[in-house]
Amino acid sequence: MSTLILRVSGSLVALLGLVGVIVGGWFLSALGTSGTATFTGEPDQRVVVLDPDVLNRLDSPIEVTATGSGSVWAGTARPSDVEALLGDSPRSEVTGVDVSEWALTTSEVGEGEASDVRGLDIWQSSTSGDGSVTSTIDQAQAPQTLVITAPEGEQVEQLEYEVTDDRWSTIAIVVLVAGLVLLLLGIALALAPRLLRARRERRARPGRPAETTHEKVHA
């Protein structure tokens, strides 16, 4: 294999390994060894909705924590019931997640005044808390929609969406280790021509002449 091919191949392998180290290390630092991904958002609306596309996309339990002023309330119900209840009233809908920013993506829907949805009989489960509330979606009753609301005149200021899957941390570790191996292999391939040339030069270098001794022979 020619010197140029070795150098190019080594550089490409090392570059691929470096990408693996960066990606694997970045995900591992964010997910930890438990594989917990946390996404946050600031909806700044009185009513916030998370539909099944966000809540029930994975098999793992999902924990949603909402923070605001006053008594914050959260309830789960069937998607069709929530859609009929809210209609065109204003709300912030969580549409997905942005992994690059570890953030929730949201869109503003409806207009007018937000309706009070507490206390109705459509809710499968509900909970409330002073200043914050946490709901756990265990996927047993999927599909579900989660509705979070703040008191009149207040807003849901921050939303935290947390999901844990230990397979993610395993994948991140595998990518990190594989990237490290490829990086070292690529460096070795790229440096191989120089090391071989240096070895040949050492072998070709003339050695010192052997010392000879002359013995005098006495008759």
Side-chain angles (χ1 to χ4, degrees):
M1 187 177 292
S2 69
T3 297
L4 179 59
I5 293 178
L6 275 176
R7 287 179 176 174
V8 172
S9 300
S11 298
L12 292 176
V13 171
L15 180 60
L16 181 61
L18 181 60
V19 171
V21 169
I22 293 174
V23 172
W26 181 69
F27 271 103
L28 189 60
S29 65
L31 299 174
T33 55
S34 63
T36 301
T38 302
F39 303 89
T40 59
E42 297 178 354
D44 292 331
Q45 279 273 15
R46 182 186 176 189
V47 178
V48 180
V49 178
L50 293 87
D51 63 21
D53 289 340
V54 177
L55 289 180
N56 307 128
R57 179 173 294 181
L58 302 173
D59 295 331
S60 304
I62 293 172
E63 187 173 274
V64 180
T65 300
T67 303
S69 300
S71 178
V72 184
W73 179 94
T76 55
R78 291 181 299 180
S80 58
D81 289 341
V82 173
E83 185 176 354
L85 172 64
L86 296 180
D88 294 329
S89 63
R91 58 191 179 272
S92 177
E93 292 191 351
V94 178
T95 57
V97 298
D98 182 357
V99 177
S100 64
E101 299 290 338
W102 300 106
L104 295 169
T105 58
T106 59
S107 64
E108 306 302 316
V109 178
E111 56 185 9
E113 292 189 8
S115 57
D116 188 1
V117 298
R118 311 183 191 207
L120 301 179
D121 59 2
I122 69 169
W123 304 110
Q124 297 169 339
S125 64
S126 63
T127 184
S128 62
D130 187 15
S132 68
V133 65
T134 299
S135 299
T136 300
I137 309 299
D138 59 13
Q139 310 301 335
Q141 300 186 60
Q144 286 180 298
T145 295
L146 175 65
V147 178
I148 303 168
T149 181
E152 185 176 359
E154 303 293 345
Q155 295 180 335
V156 178
E157 299 167 359
Q158 186 171 11
L159 204 61
E160 186 177 276
Y161 173 103
E162 185 177 281
V163 56
T164 300
D165 191 330
D166 55 7
R167 293 173 296 181
W168 296 342
S169 59
T170 301
I171 293 173
I173 292 173
V174 170
V175 172
L176 175 61
V177 173
L180 183 59
V181 171
L182 289 176
L183 178 60
L184 295 177
L185 177 60
I187 293 174
L189 286 174
L191 294 180
R194 182 179 300 178
L195 296 176
L196 291 174
R197 185 170 62 251
R199 181 177 298 180
R200 285 196 298 265
E201 290 175 354
R202 285 197 302 269
R203 289 179 177 177
R205 191 178 303 157
R208 294 181 178 178
E211 294 182 357
T212 58
T213 58
H214 300 280
E215 296 182 354
K216 294 182 179 180
V217 179
H218 298 279

